[in-house]
Amino acid sequence: MAVFTTITHAQLSVWLQDFDLGSLLKLEGIASGIENTNYFVTTDSPRHNGQFVLTIFEKLSREQLPFYLEFMRTLAQAGVNVPLPMANRQGQILHSLCDKPCALATRLEGGFELEPTPEHCRQVGMALARLHEVGLDYQKQRPDLMLDNPRGLRWWQQTLPLVVPHIPPVLQQLLAQEVQDQVEYAASTDYLSLTRGPVHADLFRNNVLFAGSREQPRLGGFIDFYFAGVDTWLFDLAVTVNDWCIDLASGSIDVPRYEALLRAYAQVRPYTVGERRAWPMMLRAAALRFWMSRLYDFYLPRSAETLTPHDPSHFERVLRQRHLQHYPLP
């Protein structure tokens, strides 16, 4: 979403000739995020109101990308509100631009809700459960495309020695101990019993769009699937709760939003006994994942035209709170 690769209006106008999407009217770089280059694209096409998002992939390989794009297409075709990748005249949804893989997808309605109410959380919880159900069908249909969570347990172990030289000893100890706890828990019977399938794995407030009003919000959809992978559904739910249902200043759980999201999810997919036991560790795992990645992105950044690394200390606070607070699944 940061602009690593610069595209000109003339360049994209020529590129779009391979699509049945009209002529380019406007091209605007999206100056947020840290992984891919994104642009808003406006054309004069009546299809999808001529509103699209171009993503140029800076790290993901051409071999990895079919998982993400086909996952999005499967979800969109099943009625889940996610961007629909656009096929060119040859029927392909994975494209190239500036010698890099890229995709063009529909632009969803709405904007970010950075101060969500319980109603926002209720809609997110229900839609996430539906995403998981459809994702399981996708996994059964295309087992050849499945990818593990790219920033899961193995990545935490590999990244730990890269970030610890940059942080104080007290934080080194906390980070290393949490990684070790999660390694041990991942080998447990409880963990191995959890349902796994394709997950979003990054469903923060700035990856969900809402239309309507604050008093009567309407879910526009989920965006930015490029940290998706196969993991436990409970981990995906914990990632979501750790952003949507907390006080950002302290990392503490906000109970009304917490209960709204988790009860709505359970209306679509009830929790198992094993998931209820695993929930505290999954909340910790979700906090660890983003503390680790923010440390990595903060201390080992890549250059970009517009790059805004996130504060790592936020998820340190969230992790500490998950050790202190123990809220069960409702």
Side-chain angles (χ1 to χ4, degrees), residues 3-14:
V3 179
F4 297 92
T5 301
T6 303
I7 302 298
T8 66
H9 191 284
Q11 201 174 6
L12 193 64
S13 293
V14 173

Side-chain angles (χ1 to χ4, degrees), residues 22-40:
S23 300
L24 179 64
L25 298 178
K26 187 177 180 182
L27 175 66
E28 180 184 0
I30 305 175
S32 60
I34 55 176
E35 284 295 318
N36 300 312
T37 293
N38 281 285
Y39 288 89
F40 289 133

Side-chain angles (χ1 to χ4, degrees), residues 123-160:
Q123 294 185 34
V124 168
M126 192 163 289
L128 180 59
R130 177 63 180 151
L131 180 152
H132 288 164
E133 289 189 332
V134 175
L136 197 58
D137 290 337
Y138 169 57
Q139 180 175 259
K140 292 175 181 176
Q141 295 164 10
R142 295 303 307 268
D144 57 307
L145 292 183
M146 293 303 107
L147 292 175
D148 286 337
N149 183 347
R151 289 205 168 179
L153 182 62
R154 186 178 305 166
W155 187 84
W156 307 342
Q157 293 173 285
Q158 294 170 346
T159 306
L160 179 64

